[in-house]
Amino acid sequence: MKEYLRGAYEMHVHTSPDVSPRKCSDIELAKRLQAAGMGGALIKCHYGDTAARAGVLNELFPGMHFAGGVTLNRAAGGINPAAVEASGKMGGRFVWFPTMDSLSYQKYQKEYKGASPDLTGRIFLLDGNGELLPEVFQVIETAKKYHMAVATGHISAEEGMPLIRAAREIGCEAVLTHADNPADCFTTEQQAEAAALGAYIEHCYFTTYYDRTPIEEIAAQIRAAGVGRVFLSTDFGQMKSPYSDEGIAEYAERLETQGFTEEELREMFLVTPERLLGIR
């Protein structure tokens, strides 16, 4: 791994234990990142809180920093401020709004993949008038109380942009999760608007590695939002994906070909992640 990536963070990775089979466990991830000279990781799970798991890793791997949080799918009670409070008390750093259980994600599966998902009981953020539900504001307020960032998960841009504006009004950090992913795509203009509102834009190597979003398009979106409002991750953990440390190194190399400097890449792989994780 290149020297400018020393201390970098993996800000989106799925490890076991999990509902689905995963590439590696929390412990194996930590060992690999340590061997690669990285600083730590933000562990995500669609169906379980990862804050306590991160706490164990921090005890086992002193000198590194691991963090977790809660994803507001049905397993967490949906848009549930109580789940956010519990995660915050355990040291959680991120609140992801619904992912696999979001209505918009399930519609994407049906419309673009020809799947036949059950849309019954799926989670949405807007009422019949297109306004955010009261519990969404309660979640943001709770996240702010515990210095957690709220992230869009797999919700649509239609839901995500009002969420970003509400987070700004309340004074809570906000993130567009894998903003370029076709399943919950935010346009380049929406990413720039979110960045102007103070949100951070996440780009994951997953969407480029699996040929969903070309690296040239990723570069253009980063430039539109501004390097200082972007952080980079992999969203790996799938059985056939590379390991996180491999993905981070490869992502950086591909972005180098798009003209990003070592200083810019270090900002997106290390400086901004540390800011979001409360390290600096």
Side-chain angles (χ1 to χ4, degrees), residues 97-98 102-105 107-108 112 123-126 130-132 151-166 175-194 197 201:
F97 273 82
S102 73
L103 181 62
S104 61
Y105 179 76
K107 285 182 175 179
Y108 165 80
Y112 294 97
I123 304 169
F124 50 90
L125 274 64
L126 305 179
E131 302 292 331
L132 290 171
T152 55
H154 292 184
I155 64 176
S156 65
E158 180 184 6
E159 297 170 299
M161 293 306 294
L163 175 65
I164 295 302
R165 297 185 191 102
V175 170
L176 294 190
T177 306
H178 43 49
D180 57 276
N181 193 313
D184 49 81
C185 184
F186 291 78
T187 66
T188 301
E189 293 74 22
Q190 287 170 328
Q191 292 177 39
E193 179 185 351
L197 290 169
I201 315 302

Side-chain angles (χ1 to χ4, degrees), residues 96-141:
W96 292 277
F97 273 82
T99 56
M100 314 307 279
D101 288 340
S102 73
L103 181 62
S104 61
Y105 179 76
Q106 290 299 319
K107 285 182 175 179
Y108 165 80
Q109 296 293 311
K110 183 175 183 179
E111 293 171 5
Y112 294 97
K113 289 193 173 182
S116 300
D118 178 12
L119 299 181
T120 305
R122 298 301 173 178
I123 304 169
F124 50 90
L125 274 64
L126 305 179
D127 64 18
N129 296 317
E131 302 292 331
L132 290 171
L133 297 167
E135 53 265 39
V136 174
F137 292 97
Q138 293 168 17
V139 162
I140 300 171
E141 292 279 7

Side-chain angles (χ1 to χ4, degrees), residues 179-225:
D180 57 276
N181 193 313
D184 49 81
C185 184
F186 291 78
T187 66
T188 301
E189 293 74 22
Q190 287 170 328
Q191 292 177 39
E193 179 185 351
L197 290 169
Y200 289 95
I201 315 302
E202 178 192 38
H203 290 288
C204 298
Y205 189 41
F206 176 96
T207 51
T208 298
Y209 182 81
Y210 287 104
D211 296 323
R212 298 186 184 185
T213 311
I215 195 68
E216 295 82 5
E217 180 60 25
I218 298 295
Q221 292 178 10
I222 292 173
R223 292 299 186 197

Side-chain angles (χ1 to χ4, degrees), residues 21-183:
R22 292 302 183 187
K23 180 82 172 182
C24 66
S25 68
D26 292 340
I27 299 293
E28 186 179 0
L29 170 74
K31 288 179 177 178
R32 289 191 65 94
L33 298 188
Q34 185 179 59
M38 293 178 62
L42 176 65
I43 300 169
K44 183 178 179 183
C45 178
H46 294 298
Y47 304 111
D49 195 314
T50 55
R53 288 163 54 180
V56 172
L57 290 179
N58 285 328
E59 185 172 342
L60 292 175
F61 296 87
M64 301 185 74
H65 189 89
F66 294 89
V70 63
T71 306
L72 300 179
N73 286 316
R74 291 185 292 179
I79 312 301
N80 181 7
V84 177
E85 178 131 24
S87 185
K89 287 181 176 179
M90 289 189 290
R93 295 297 307 185
F94 265 53
V95 179
W96 292 277
F97 273 82
T99 56
M100 314 307 279
D101 288 340
S102 73
L103 181 62
S104 61
Y105 179 76
Q106 290 299 319
K107 285 182 175 179
Y108 165 80
Q109 296 293 311
K110 183 175 183 179
E111 293 171 5
Y112 294 97
K113 289 193 173 182
S116 300
D118 178 12
L119 299 181
T120 305
R122 298 301 173 178
I123 304 169
F124 50 90
L125 274 64
L126 305 179
D127 64 18
N129 296 317
E131 302 292 331
L132 290 171
L133 297 167
E135 53 265 39
V136 174
F137 292 97
Q138 293 168 17
V139 162
I140 300 171
E141 292 279 7
T142 306
K144 179 187 176 183
K145 176 182 176 181
Y146 291 99
H147 309 290
M148 304 171 80
V150 293
T152 55
H154 292 184
I155 64 176
S156 65
E158 180 184 6
E159 297 170 299
M161 293 306 294
L163 175 65
I164 295 302
R165 297 185 191 102
R168 177 183 173 87
E169 291 174 5
I170 292 170
C172 182
E173 295 281 19
V175 170
L176 294 190
T177 306
H178 43 49
D180 57 276
N181 193 313

